[in-house]
Amino acid sequence: EVDASKSSASCNADDAWLGVRGRPGVLKGAYQYEVELKNECLLRVGWAALEGRRALGTDERSFGYGGTGMKSNCGKFEKYGEIFEAQTGAVVTCLLDRQDPRRSSISYCLNGRNLGVAFRLPPWLADVPLFPAICGREDWQATCRFRDLTFPHGGFWSLEDANRCDVAEDGGAASAAAAVFAAAPFVEERELK
């Protein structure tokens, strides 16, 4: 469920990974957004193409960093960063650097501490917009900030201030719209990992 302000999301599910996807999608430039845990939950945060699954990081078009201290892409999970599972108030900053198509990367910060580069994006994704995304298991609540960030990272713009020519609203042509979260498109009824 996404609240009326389009900046908070929550879910109550039995043993399922369910998520939401935001907009706009980033095609170029360097942008950031934050996710704050509002309850003791297990979340995975990051970036995904529209065609990506709701269970972030389980396909080749989505990239996630989870509360268990693991990064994931293509269903491959590797140790990365620090554990933030069940840490109410923890803030994860999601950084996407697409300034150079040959060196595009995704990084994360936890409570303002830079955790380093998690992913180098493959060249074939250069023309695919990546959208902010979160998913969680069972009962979770999170607030997403696209401006007025708690821990802004230098060299990255907040997603709310995205340059029109750097973004796509729905995977197609760019448009000027506020950064918001909405329920992710339906892919499968239950995606467990």
Side-chain angles (χ1 to χ4, degrees):
E1 178 179 323
V2 177
D3 77 352
S5 73
K6 306 251 187 227
S7 65
S8 292
S10 62
C11 181
N12 295 311
D14 292 328
D15 200 35
W17 282 94
L18 298 175
V20 293
R21 189 140 325 120
R23 59 177 193 258
V26 177
L27 284 162
K28 54 187 174 178
Y31 291 97
Q32 61 186 320
Y33 75 97
E34 290 179 340
V35 177
E36 182 178 346
L37 280 66
K38 299 310 267 184
N39 68 338
E40 293 184 4
C41 61
L42 178 57
L43 286 183
R44 196 176 304 143
V45 300
W47 302 89
L50 282 179
E51 300 82 12
R53 290 183 176 161
R54 287 190 282 182
L56 189 61
T58 60
D59 62 80
E60 64 184 1
R61 295 176 181 266
S62 66
F63 304 84
Y65 166 45
T68 57
M70 304 287 274
K71 66 178 183 176
S72 57
N73 170 247
C74 294
K76 183 179 178 184
F77 292 76
E78 298 175 4
K79 289 185 184 246
Y80 171 83
E82 302 171 29
I83 294 172
F84 62 90
E85 179 179 7
Q87 293 182 18
T88 303
V91 176
V92 181
T93 306
C94 303
L95 307 168
L96 176 58
D97 184 348
R98 297 188 103 176
Q99 295 175 92
D100 180 345
R102 294 167 294 161
R103 296 181 183 199
S104 295
S105 65
I106 294 174
S107 303
Y108 299 92
C109 301
L110 180 59
N111 296 322
R113 249 181 346 278
N114 191 332
L115 303 175
V117 172
F119 304 101
R120 297 272 180 212
L121 302 181
W124 63 267
L125 273 178
D127 295 327
V128 177
L130 293 178
F131 295 80
I134 61 173
C135 70
R137 186 169 183 176
E138 298 174 356
D139 299 330
W140 59 268
Q141 298 173 8
T143 296
C144 306
R145 286 188 284 275
F146 300 105
R147 62 184 166 93
D148 301 327
L149 304 179
T150 305
F151 301 105
H153 192 73
F156 290 80
W157 291 92
S158 64
L159 203 51
E160 180 76 15
D161 298 326
N163 186 329
R164 246 181 102 130
C165 66
D166 289 350
V167 300
E169 186 63 25
D170 61 4
S175 67
V180 297
F181 263 98
F186 179 79
V187 176
E188 293 178 16
E189 182 124 348
R190 294 180 75 153
E191 295 178 0
L192 301 176
K193 181 64 183 177

